[in-house]
Every structure is written in C-alpha cells, then in structure tokens.
Amino acid sequence: MKLKDYFKKAQKEKWAVGQFNFSTLEQLRGILKAGEKMKSPLILGTSEGESRFLGLREIVALFEIAKTEYDVSAFLNLDHGKDLKWIKDAVNYGYNAVHFDGSALSYRDNVKKTKEVVLYAHKKGVLVEGELGKVTGSSAVHKGKSEIKKEDLTSPAKVKEFVKETGVDSLAVAIGNIHGVFKKMPELDFERLKEIREKSNVFLVLHGASGIAPTDIKKAIKGGMVKININTELRIAWKEALKGELSGEGIRPYNILPSVQLAVQKKVEEKMKLFDSKYTR
C-alpha cells in the first residue's frame, strides 16, 4: 500500500499513522523494529536540522537498505521544510512525502510557496503536507507553562480555501498543540478541530504530540487526525537510556547503544498502541 492509501484507511477506520523522527542509527533501528513487531505502518521523519546533519543522500540510502532488512511498511518524510531547494532535493533523492512549513509567512506567501512545492512534488508522485496556523515551541523539556496565542491557531474559515488553492494532500493544524514537553501541557481545542474537519476532508496532521495526554490523543484521532508526529519523547528516551549506559565504565559503542535502541523501540511501540495503528498492515 502507498502512504496515501494508509491515510485513507486510517481516516475511515479512526486510527492514525505515527511519524517518528530520527537522526541516529539506533533511533532508526528502534523505530523500524517497533513497526515490525507491532505490524504497523510508520513514517520516518527528518526535520531540516536532522536531514542536514545526516545528509539527504545518506538518509535515503539508509532507508532503502532498511526496507530490505525489516518487514515493515515505512515511508520517509521531510519534516518542517522551509528551504524550497532543500525540499526539492528531498523529492529528487527519493523521499515519499515532504512538509512545507510556511507558518511564519503571510497567508498569501504561504499559499504561493506551498503551491510551488505541490506542483513540483506531485510530478514525482510525492505527497505534500502544508501548514496553516503556527505550531510553536521547540523540541525540549520545558520547566515552565506552555503559552499558546490565539492568533497562532488554525482558522477553520481559511482551511477550505487553503487546501483548494494549494492542492496539499495533508494539512498540519494548530489547535493548541505545541512542540516540546511542558510541565503543564496546553489544552487542545476540539471544537476548533471539529470546525476544521467540517471545512475539508483533507488528511489532518497533529504536530507536537509529545507530552499530550493519551485521552486527548484518542479524542484527536476520533476528531479526524490521521497522522501524529512524535519527536521530543523519542529524544528523551534516547538521552535517558544513553545517560544510564555512559554512567558505567564501558566504552564500546556496540555494547552501549543496543539498550538505547531498545528504549526508543519501546516508546514507539507505546505510541503505536495509542494510535491504534498496530496490526493494520
């Protein structure tokens, strides 16, 4: 099945495909092992920062090898792409999907550049995710309270127009979600989500899902989210497991990193159960 087919299936059956970001080999393996074990489709995400660190060609090469080593339905997505040339390179090198993040632009410029990405990517059969509204925050553990500005939230009134003008396949929306994990997470605006869903049947994406209560994740999926992005929680699992291993005297990476990989795998499995994506391949 293609990624779009999984989105359609998820939309119809009320579950979600998880996107899990990686920037190290043990993260990649942990994610793929989880998908194989849970028999769940998954999306491997790399942000611009992650993809510039690893290199687009190296990422695609790892992905192509992984497809022969793991029995899993996996797809590769460029997450939060802002540089149009970088996005086009990802398309050319073999990514299955790209996300253009025009949230910092004016509405008109966001439409214009998103449409440019769509026209380019669709020629190669690559899906495009647009963004309307602004998902703020950063991938980190924050001690303070999260603050969401109302003007950053997605306007339901603009959704239909944005989707029609750009031709995006999926849409990242801001309904109170935020990047990073906070001591007090914000509340999601489910009424706004309902209004967005009523405006368009486009595939909806929840960014910044790390730290959101499981009950709210379930409610968001029921409300129409078909793709959910997890990054910060994976980084936390990676860091804590690595810290534990480095506190000992061992120096052999191949002895240290397996438990780090397992920690990532367990976190992904936990999310796949929550998203109800297990056993859907």
Side-chain angles (χ1 to χ4, degrees):
M1 286 174 63
K2 295 181 178 180
L3 180 56
K4 194 169 186 176
D5 295 324
Y6 278 113
F7 283 164
K8 289 178 180 178
K9 184 176 173 65
Q11 192 176 59
K12 181 180 179 181
E13 299 174 359
K14 300 296 182 183
W15 52 273
V17 181
Q19 174 181 294
F20 305 98
N21 284 40
F22 74 96
S23 55
T24 70
L25 186 58
E26 65 272 11
Q27 287 176 322
L28 173 63
R29 286 175 169 168
I31 295 165
L32 292 170
K33 278 281 190 181
E36 186 174 56
K37 180 180 176 180
M38 304 301 288
K39 300 189 185 304
S40 170
L42 62 91
I43 298 168
L44 292 162
T46 61
S47 66
E48 272 200 20
E50 289 162 336
S51 60
R52 289 184 188 277
F53 170 69
L54 283 175
L56 290 173
R57 289 177 178 172
E58 289 92 335
I59 290 167
V60 173
L62 286 170
F63 178 64
E64 291 300 324
I65 293 168
K67 288 195 295 186
T68 67
E69 295 292 324
Y70 297 88
D71 181 17
V72 61
S73 293
F75 305 91
L76 192 56
N77 179 53
L78 182 70
D79 190 30
H80 287 287
K82 297 178 182 179
D83 183 330
L84 294 188
K85 183 183 182 304
W86 195 254
I87 292 171
K88 290 176 180 179
D89 284 345
V91 169
N92 292 334
Y93 289 143
Y95 273 62
N96 305 111
V98 292
H99 165 214
F100 173 66
D101 180 359
S103 61
L105 305 175
S106 67
Y107 175 78
R108 243 332 108 193
D109 284 343
N110 190 4
V111 167
K112 181 181 178 182
K113 291 191 176 183
T114 303
K115 186 175 181 179
E116 181 180 342
V117 173
V118 169
L119 290 173
Y120 190 88
H122 279 185
K123 290 178 182 177
K124 305 274 189 177
V126 173
L127 298 186
V128 177
E129 176 183 326
E131 184 160 340
L132 186 61
K134 185 183 294 185
V135 182
T136 57
S138 62
S139 180
V141 178
H142 302 271
K143 294 181 179 180
K145 179 182 176 182
S146 61
E147 292 187 11
I148 304 290
K149 297 179 181 178
K150 191 172 182 179
E151 58 265 31
D152 288 335
L153 299 180
T154 302
S155 168
K158 290 184 177 179
V159 169
K160 186 175 182 179
E161 177 187 356
F162 184 84
V163 172
K164 184 178 179 180
E165 286 194 83
T166 60
V168 291
D169 303 286
S170 56
L171 184 65
V173 296
I175 58 167
N177 43 313
I178 191 169
H179 292 117
V181 174
F182 292 77
K183 188 174 182 180
K184 181 173 175 54
M185 295 295 292
E187 294 183 5
L188 298 185
D189 188 341
F190 291 106
E191 185 57 38
R192 186 178 296 270
L193 174 58
K194 181 182 177 183
E195 290 178 32
I196 290 170
R197 174 77 287 154
E198 290 171 351
K199 296 295 181 182
S200 174
N201 201 39
V202 69
F203 303 124
L204 297 180
V205 181
L206 184 69
H207 282 252
S210 290
I212 295 177
T215 51
D216 283 352
I217 292 289
K218 288 283 190 184
K219 196 171 179 180
I221 292 171
K222 188 177 180 181
M225 294 292 183
V226 301
K227 174 175 175 276
I228 298 181
N229 292 15
I230 300 291
N231 195 353
T232 302
E233 284 190 60
L234 296 189
R235 290 175 172 178
I236 293 170
W238 173 86
K239 182 178 179 179
E240 291 303 314
L242 186 59
K243 280 171 63 179
E245 287 294 331
L246 293 177
S247 64
E249 295 181 357
I251 61 171
R252 294 182 177 91
Y254 54 82
N255 287 337
I256 291 171
L257 294 175
S259 64
V260 179
Q261 176 180 312
L262 183 59
V264 172
Q265 178 184 335
K266 287 182 176 179
K267 179 58 66 174
V268 174
E269 288 176 13
E270 173 191 311
K271 296 302 178 181
M272 286 174 169
K273 290 177 184 177
L274 177 61
F275 302 163
D276 281 330
S277 66
K278 61 187 191 310
Y279 312 128
T280 56
R281 283 200 290 117

